[in-house]
Every structure is written in C-alpha cells, then in structure tokens.
Amino acid sequence: MPQDQSSSRRTAGAIALLKESPHLLDGFLKLSEIFESTTLDPHSRETVILTVATRNQCHLCVDMHEAKFAALGPAPAPERLDAVRRFTLQVLAASGAVSDADLEAFFAHGYTRQNALEVVLGIGTYTVSTFANRLTRAA
C-alpha cells in the first residue's frame, strides 16, 4: 500500500476514535483551523506541531506533520525554525513562565509577542490531539 494511503487510513482511524467525543473532535478541529490562520508562517507552525508531537510521543502526528512540513519545501531560515522549536520546548518546560532572556532570544529571530502567544495556542491545540491520540491508542 502506498505511504499516502497508509497515512490517510491511519488519520481516518484516529478521527473515528476521536468521534467518540464529538466535543473533543469539534474543539480540536476549530482550534486547528484558528492555529492555521495565525501570523506564524507555515514552516514555523509545523515546527511547533512537530515539537509538541515529538515531546508527547504521538507517532501518528509526527508522521503526518513531517510529511506536511516536507511538502512545504525547503525552510527559508533553519535557524529561525530552531528558535521556534527551542521556544516551544521552553514554554512547555516552564508552563508558560519563560524568562525574559528566552523571550528575547525568540524575538531576535524576527518573532513577535503575538507569535509567542500563537505558539501557546499551537501547544494547546496539539496537546489535545496528541493526548487524545495516545489515550485512544491511535498513535
């Protein structure tokens, strides 16, 4: 079976499991749509998602979002994406209470205070997804 079909079946299976809670599924889909409309560029959004998925060991999300990231083409500034990855991990580790130095390091790569809050949105959105996928054994 081609990789695209296998991935599509895994995704469909995960969604079917999440349908057991229409509220969770609806909430995730709404939050995901909102996150996709943020001012973070697509590469940065996918980096946030991959960071959360990797940290939370959701192999389904990692596979799906690695493919989505690759489809975006070459990253324009790898050091900028590393900054958003590091910042995402710092937000998670500090439960949001990052240091001023952490914020300044993030801002030094062209990100804004709005982007910092959008990272928090991405963390919340994909924590819902990764935890639910692991709970239902979809991941």
Side-chain angles (χ1 to χ4, degrees):
M1 175 182 315
Q3 181 66 23
D4 286 349
Q5 283 183 330
S6 174
S7 178
S8 294
R9 285 194 177 155
R10 285 180 68 200
T11 302
I15 290 172
L17 291 169
L18 297 184
K19 283 183 179 178
E20 290 183 42
S21 173
H23 295 93
L24 181 133
L25 180 58
D26 187 48
F28 168 68
L29 293 174
K30 286 178 181 174
L31 285 171
S32 179
E33 182 180 334
I34 292 167
F35 183 61
E36 288 298 315
S37 72
T38 64
T39 62
L40 285 168
D41 65 272
H43 283 94
S44 293
R45 286 193 306 266
E46 287 303 315
T47 298
V48 171
I49 296 166
L50 281 164
T51 302
V52 172
T54 300
R55 180 186 181 269
N56 293 341
Q57 299 177 14
C58 181
H59 306 295
L60 173 67
C61 290
V62 169
D63 292 348
M64 184 184 332
H65 288 281
E66 280 180 344
K68 192 170 176 183
F69 187 91
L72 292 173
E79 63 281 351
R80 182 172 155 86
L81 297 182
D82 190 52
V84 77
R85 182 191 61 77
R86 285 192 322 269
F87 183 72
T88 301
L89 289 171
Q90 291 160 338
V91 171
L92 284 161
S95 300
V98 298
S99 69
D100 290 343
D102 291 334
L103 277 171
E104 291 306 318
F106 184 62
F107 298 156
H109 290 276
Y111 292 107
T112 65
R113 192 166 295 279
Q114 179 178 353
N115 294 147
L117 291 168
E118 292 167 348
V119 167
V120 172
L121 174 62
I123 290 169
T125 302
Y126 286 90
T127 296
V128 168
S129 173
T130 58
F131 280 21
N133 285 339
R134 295 197 66 201
L135 179 86
T136 63
R137 309 301 191 259

